[in-house]
Amino acid sequence: MTYNWKIIFISDIQTVGQNNLQKRTVVLEEATDKDYKWGIAFDLIKDKVNLIDWFKVWDTVEVSLNFRATESNGRWFTNINAWSIKKVKWDSVDVDIEDIMPF
């Protein structure tokens, strides 16, 4: 699945587990004017941890995600991992200042 949202958080690279897996967590938020926006957190793992280096908080990006559920000791866990991140370029819109002024 692909999403176009704003980056609101980028973690530092963490090393976890017995295999010293490198991972990084990123949180995205809807790019809308709604009062209550929802977001999604995903991980960048292994060779993908540096994909986010070219971006900063509040950039609007297109992210391709993989969703996977795994079971461990009777508990289920959902993993959300990104495999592609691209900057979204919005087309500029010409607006006449006379059209938006209240007086």
Side-chain angles (χ1 to χ4, degrees), residues 2 10 25 28 35 39 42 49 56 58 61-62 83 87 93:
T2 302
I10 302 170
T25 300
L28 301 179
D35 289 337
F42 63 88
V49 294
K56 60 186 181 306
W58 301 120
V61 293
E62 176 184 288
W83 54 273
K87 188 157 192 162
V93 178

Side-chain angles (χ1 to χ4, degrees), residues 37-95:
K37 299 175 186 174
W38 60 284
I40 188 167
F42 63 88
D43 292 325
L44 297 165
I45 57 171
K46 298 181 183 175
D47 61 331
K48 305 292 185 196
V49 294
N50 295 321
L51 280 179
I52 201 73
D53 287 348
W54 302 102
F55 305 99
K56 60 186 181 306
V57 172
W58 301 120
D59 280 349
T60 301
V61 293
E62 176 184 288
V63 179
S64 297
L65 302 172
N66 287 335
F67 297 85
R68 184 178 40 207
T70 55
E71 186 267 335
S72 176
N73 298 323
R75 294 184 60 198
W76 284 90
F77 299 91
T78 302
N79 299 318
I80 305 171
N81 298 316
W83 54 273
S84 173
I85 302 174
K86 300 177 201 169
K87 188 157 192 162
V88 173
K89 295 181 183 177
W90 298 99
D91 292 330
S92 62
V93 178
D94 292 330
V95 176

